[in-house]
Amino acid sequence: MTDLNHVVLIGRLTRDLGEDERSFGYVANGQARANVSIAVNRSRKNGEQWVEEVNYFDVTIWGKTAENLKPYLLKGKQICVEGYLKQDRWEKDGQKMSKVTIVANNVQLLGGKSEGSQPSGGAPRFQQINSAPTQNSYSNNYQDSYGDTGNDFPEDIPF
């Protein structure tokens, strides 16, 4: 039977990518490597009160994904990371050390343009294509029990 090592986390970046030479670079074979850290908030109930807990995780992103995301990975940006856990072990001054990191297979940017200090040339914008309505168009004739026609989205979604 095969074991399972799969992680999905949603958190916020703790620093901008590229602030130092260890956070973004190329390894000997030319492959890009990005090291980021995310803060994951969790609420739990302690007696009658809710307590906030924060956990920090180091994430390594490889290849074209690291290169393509570099301009968008800014402090405070919310991301979803899917990947696996990797444990590194070494010895320093006679002491055995280890560290567990997340190796990302998939990274998704979450949130919108109002979050963080995203430059104006940021992520691409998607605009609605205006097509001539047809008489048999499903979206024009559809109306659910809440009165939503599906055509009331503004061009710029405010998130």
Side-chain angles (χ1 to χ4, degrees):
M1 179 175 201
T2 304
D3 296 331
L4 180 65
N5 181 353
H6 186 84
V7 183
V8 178
L9 292 173
I10 295 176
R12 295 190 181 272
L13 294 165
T14 61
R15 65 183 180 274
D16 291 351
L17 180 63
E19 274 188 356
D20 59 22
E21 60 193 38
R22 293 184 337 175
S23 68
F24 185 86
Y26 292 89
V27 294
N29 67 1
Q31 188 177 30
R33 177 214 19 91
N35 290 326
V36 297
S37 179
I38 61 172
V40 179
N41 294 322
R42 180 177 166 252
S43 296
R44 66 176 177 84
K45 199 161 188 177
N46 186 6
E48 293 296 314
Q49 295 182 353
W50 285 95
V51 179
E52 289 285 325
E53 284 182 353
V54 180
N55 292 291
Y56 299 94
F57 299 97
D58 292 326
V59 179
T60 303
I61 307 166
W62 290 98
K64 288 288 186 191
T65 304
E67 290 177 328
N68 293 336
L69 289 176
K70 186 178 178 185
Y72 307 109
L73 296 180
L74 302 172
K75 182 178 181 177
K77 180 70 179 169
Q78 189 178 40
I79 65 171
C80 176
V81 176
E82 179 183 358
Y84 61 92
L85 298 175
K86 180 177 182 272
Q87 183 179 29
D88 293 318
R89 297 180 185 149
W90 68 96
E91 196 170 311
K92 181 179 179 182
D93 300 328
Q95 293 263 348
K96 291 185 178 184
M97 312 281 278
S98 74
K99 179 180 182 178
V100 175
T101 59
I102 298 165
V103 178
N105 291 329
N106 186 17
V107 178
Q108 294 180 10
L109 301 175
L110 303 176
K113 69 179 185 177
S114 63
E115 274 188 38
S117 56
Q118 183 69 27
S120 60
R125 296 173 122 194
F126 297 100
Q127 296 180 357
Q128 179 180 358
I129 298 174
N130 294 328
S131 60
T134 61
Q135 200 170 31
N136 295 330
S137 173
Y138 178 75
S139 64
N140 289 334
N141 295 332
Y142 175 73
Q143 185 167 0
D144 63 14
S145 61
Y146 301 108
D148 182 18
T149 62
N151 292 328
D152 54 353
F153 289 111
E155 286 185 33
D156 228 354
I157 298 175
F159 56 71

